[in-house]
Amino acid sequence: MADSDNHNENWDKQVLEKLLLSSVREQRKARQWGIFFKSLTFVYLFMLLFFGLGWLGDSEMSISGKHTALVELRGIISSDSIGSADNVNMGLQSAFKDKKTQGVILRINSPGGSPVQAGYINDEIRRLRAEYPQIPLYAVVEDICASGGYYVAAAADKIYVDKASIVGSIGVLMNGFGFTGAMEKLGVERRLITAGKNKGFLDPFSPPNTEQEEYAKEMLGDVHEQFIQVVRQGRGERLKDAPEIFSGIVWTGQKSIDLGLADAMGSAEYVAREIIKAEHIVDYTAREGFAERFAKRFGAVMADTLISTGSGWGLR
């Protein structure tokens, strides 16, 4: 009887040990699977973050065979925008240096901007065309190519537009506001102290100064003449003898062709396929670096969060 009790006791212990070991194994497996699924979820979220912020897809393409190079000029042309001379010229340089490039398309959708930045791009196009005479450069206008945008386009071998494109605005402006009337009504007195009689040039809180206004017009006239010469140099005999061309007005695509400001209708795909004869298009537009993009987008997200929670500052 005692042997039977011992046997049962040993059997109970063995069963209990097996159950405990089985439970430990199951817990280990559960932890391993948990780690696996957590890691998989982390990788998935990480990939979503990369795609969402646009960090993937900008890497250089594997270029095989002859192709048409594309560089974008979008938005305001200024030193701190994507339409800066640094960005556009970087893309143009890469496009021309590639030995498989058969032609370059500068696709423009810009209302203009800084005459200095536009001049830098115009000069660089001329330099690259002289260094690589076998590679043509064509400007393709989308919605708008006005003012500084056209200043850039004038350096192209040919300019292609859409019938609804807006082209021109060959002029220069300087604008501002005058607050003297409002100051009088509010009883506000302007106290401006300068060393040099023109240091407060066209100060918006002081009465108009005829001498300074005339000087400003003369200065704008000089810049306008530079613009005109750039257009005449770029367009040559194609430009019609029409005084209104340089009046600062804009035209539709078809009218710009009639005046010699543009050459023909055509999209980037059309120019690549029919003119350059290299249908495959490779984008050489300079993109923001990883660190710059992260800083800008992370900053924007944080700003939105602060505004939405009622803290921080922003437009109200």
Side-chain angles (χ1 to χ4, degrees), residues 21-62:
L21 287 174
S22 178
S23 176
V24 169
R25 291 193 191 100
E26 290 298 325
Q27 289 178 1
R28 286 178 179 175
K29 287 182 180 180
R31 283 199 297 269
Q32 290 172 351
W33 279 109
I35 293 171
F36 172 76
F37 283 114
K38 287 177 182 178
S39 300
L40 193 62
T41 303
F42 176 77
V43 171
Y44 175 72
L45 293 175
F46 195 66
M47 293 296 290
L48 283 181
L49 179 65
F50 264 66
F51 279 112
L53 293 178
W55 293 342
L56 295 180
D58 286 344
S59 58
E60 293 186 2
M61 296 178 59
S62 173

Side-chain angles (χ1 to χ4, degrees), residues 34-111:
I35 293 171
F36 172 76
F37 283 114
K38 287 177 182 178
S39 300
L40 193 62
T41 303
F42 176 77
V43 171
Y44 175 72
L45 293 175
F46 195 66
M47 293 296 290
L48 283 181
L49 179 65
F50 264 66
F51 279 112
L53 293 178
W55 293 342
L56 295 180
D58 286 344
S59 58
E60 293 186 2
M61 296 178 59
S62 173
I63 304 171
S64 59
K66 297 178 180 180
H67 61 268
T68 293
L70 175 70
V71 178
E72 301 269 9
L73 170 55
R74 293 188 173 275
I76 300 295
I77 303 171
S78 66
S79 60
D80 58 352
S81 73
I82 59 172
S84 69
D86 285 345
N87 283 346
V88 176
N89 288 346
M90 187 185 304
L92 290 171
Q93 289 162 9
S94 298
F96 273 93
K97 286 178 182 178
D98 195 304
K99 294 181 179 179
K100 296 174 183 177
T101 295
Q102 302 302 293
V104 179
I105 292 175
L106 179 59
R107 187 158 59 189
I108 301 174
N109 195 357
S110 171

Side-chain angles (χ1 to χ4, degrees), residues 241-260:
D241 186 14
E244 66 269 21
I245 286 178
F246 304 113
S247 68
I249 201 168
V250 295
W251 291 273
T252 60
Q254 183 57 59
K255 186 62 176 178
S256 70
I257 295 174
D258 297 339
L259 292 170

